[in-house]
Amino acid sequence: MHTRVMVMARHQLVREGLVALLSRQGDFALMGSFGDGREGAAKAVELRPELVMMELQLEGLHGVDVIRRIAAGSPHTRVLCLAADEPHELMRTALDAGARGFLAKDASPEEMLRALSAVRHRQLYLSPSLAEAAVMATTPETHRSYAFCKLTPKEREVVQLLAEGLSTKEAAARLNLSVKTVATHREHATGKLGIRGVAALTRFAIREGLAHP
């Protein structure tokens, strides 16, 4: 019986590469691939795949919030994150949100299959090449990502969209909110963070892993 799997990655080339690798294996049934986190989360809740392989850096909605939506709407779905140089605080936040492991982006196809198998069987998987970051991420004393401690989910969405270059009006349309509401979320976020201006907000988002440089 095939394992139903979904792929989420920011760049099309990465998505297509993962899809090609999975397609060469006879054990997987692909349920879709997505670059937009909001769309991917909605589809995961709708289709309920057994596995999701995903990057944390996604368009529109950060991977941690995607994981939280999947955990709430499809609790039997297991999430394996792809990692390169994510801060260990962000890795810890993702694990707390419900991720079941981290696979290094330069891992071999054989390791990818081992990781998927482990996660499918409810085991935690951490790539050996991520050993130092993984130890820090699983240490109880490790602090959570600042953005995920201080900001509400909606404030994070607004910060991410603005950092990705959208205007307040464009962000409002994407989130199906009024321009005034988005501006209020932005003001609340900048007030909590003690910063002013979109440029400073963008630098914060990149540093915290909410947006890609």
Side-chain angles (χ1 to χ4, degrees), residues 129-152:
S129 63
L130 299 173
E132 182 177 354
V135 168
M136 294 295 293
T138 53
T139 299
E141 292 77 16
T142 298
H143 295 294
R144 277 62 172 174
S145 169
Y146 193 76
F148 289 87
C149 291
K150 295 293 184 180
L151 303 181
T152 68

Side-chain angles (χ1 to χ4, degrees), residues 7-8 11 16 43 48 59 95 100 109 115 119 132 140 148 151 171 176 179 191:
V7 170
M8 299 185 204
H11 298 293
E16 290 182 354
K43 284 296 184 182
R48 303 196 173 199
E59 294 282 355
L95 291 171
R100 298 303 303 159
V119 170
E132 182 177 354
F148 289 87
L151 303 181
N176 197 27
V179 172

Side-chain angles (χ1 to χ4, degrees), residues 56 83 86-97 99 101-102 124-126 130-145:
L56 291 179
E86 278 74 12
H88 57 261
E89 297 90 348
L90 189 57
M91 293 175 66
R92 176 57 187 264
T93 304
L95 291 171
D96 285 348
F102 278 88
L124 179 68
Y125 186 87
L126 299 167
L130 299 173
E132 182 177 354
V135 168
M136 294 295 293
T138 53
T139 299
E141 292 77 16
T142 298
H143 295 294
R144 277 62 172 174
S145 169

Side-chain angles (χ1 to χ4, degrees), residues 37-127:
R38 187 173 290 100
E39 181 185 10
K43 284 296 184 182
V45 170
E46 175 189 348
L47 301 176
R48 303 196 173 199
E50 294 167 79
L51 295 172
V52 170
M53 188 186 307
M54 61 177 288
E55 292 181 326
L56 291 179
Q57 293 283 351
L58 297 169
E59 294 282 355
L61 185 67
H62 192 270
V64 169
D65 285 314
V66 171
I67 294 167
R68 287 175 173 166
R69 292 189 183 188
I70 292 173
S74 182
H76 296 296
T77 298
R78 307 295 170 186
V79 177
L80 175 66
C81 297
L82 298 170
D85 54 358
E86 278 74 12
H88 57 261
E89 297 90 348
L90 189 57
M91 293 175 66
R92 176 57 187 264
T93 304
L95 291 171
D96 285 348
R100 298 303 303 159
F102 278 88
L103 175 69
K105 288 184 179 179
D106 60 356
S108 67
E110 292 76 17
E111 185 185 352
M112 180 191 76
L113 294 177
R114 290 197 301 272
L116 288 170
S117 177
V119 170
R120 183 190 174 196
H121 290 93
R122 300 173 182 258
Q123 299 170 11
L124 179 68
Y125 186 87
L126 299 167
S127 275

